[in-house]
Amino acid sequence: MESHVTSVTHVIQLAVAPVFLLTAIATLISALNVRLGRIVDRQRTVLELDAVAGQSGAARQRELVLLSRRVHLSYLAISAAVLAGLLICLVVASAFVGVLLEADLAKLLAALFVLAMLSLIVSLSLFLREIYLAVSGRNRTLPAVGADPGTS
């Protein structure tokens, strides 16, 4: 009985790091969700405007296309981050199941953790791409300060 308590205690100690990683992933999901909300709000604003000062219908359409791409990237980044979080949960659960069943799940744990890291890398890469589009798209869709709206 004592060995099981020791084993479970050891697994709890080992599970602390993935749980902290889970907290970081939750924070990332929250940040991505806020960005997604802002993009959707901007889409609604652009769609509601009949005429935007200094922008033709084509410029508005380009902005809507850009916003649509940003929404898609944000959605994919959130999905990848959620997948990473689920995989981390599986790592923690598998560690406990392995101890309770006295099974060697080391390869499964390693595979799940690597998949979680790959999913997190994908999420962060998509997040970076969305930020790039937001910054570069802003330069293309907005007229320069002081410029004649008809010349942009």
Side-chain angles (χ1 to χ4, degrees):
M1 179 66 176
E2 183 64 34
S3 67
H4 284 310
V5 172
T6 304
S7 297
V8 170
T9 303
H10 184 66
V11 170
I12 290 172
Q13 290 171 345
L14 293 176
V16 170
V19 170
F20 280 121
L21 180 59
L22 196 57
T23 303
I25 291 170
T27 303
L28 174 63
I29 292 169
S30 177
L32 288 166
N33 192 39
V34 168
R35 286 190 70 82
L36 180 60
R38 291 183 60 104
I39 297 165
V40 169
D41 288 345
R42 178 64 184 159
Q43 272 184 325
R44 287 183 186 139
T45 301
V46 171
L47 286 171
E48 289 173 0
L49 295 175
D50 289 331
V52 176
Q55 284 189 330
S56 65
R60 264 198 354 243
Q61 187 61 33
R62 281 193 308 271
E63 184 173 3
L64 286 171
V65 168
L66 177 69
L67 290 169
S68 178
R69 288 181 64 202
R70 289 180 58 202
V71 164
H72 184 69
L73 286 171
S74 293
Y75 172 75
L76 291 175
I78 290 169
S79 297
V82 168
L83 179 61
L86 290 172
L87 289 168
I88 292 297
C89 290
L90 285 173
V91 166
V92 173
S94 297
F96 281 99
V97 168
V99 167
L100 294 176
L101 299 179
E102 297 179 4
D104 182 20
L105 299 179
K107 289 182 181 179
L108 174 66
L109 291 171
L112 288 172
F113 191 77
V114 167
L115 287 173
M117 290 300 97
L118 290 174
S119 184
L120 188 57
I121 289 168
V122 167
S123 178
L124 290 170
S125 298
L126 289 166
F127 185 34
L128 185 61
R129 178 67 180 149
E130 188 276 322
I131 290 171
Y132 173 78
L133 281 179
V135 172
S136 65
R138 179 177 168 88
N139 295 333
R140 282 182 269 155
T141 59
L142 297 177
V145 176
D148 180 22
T151 61
S152 296

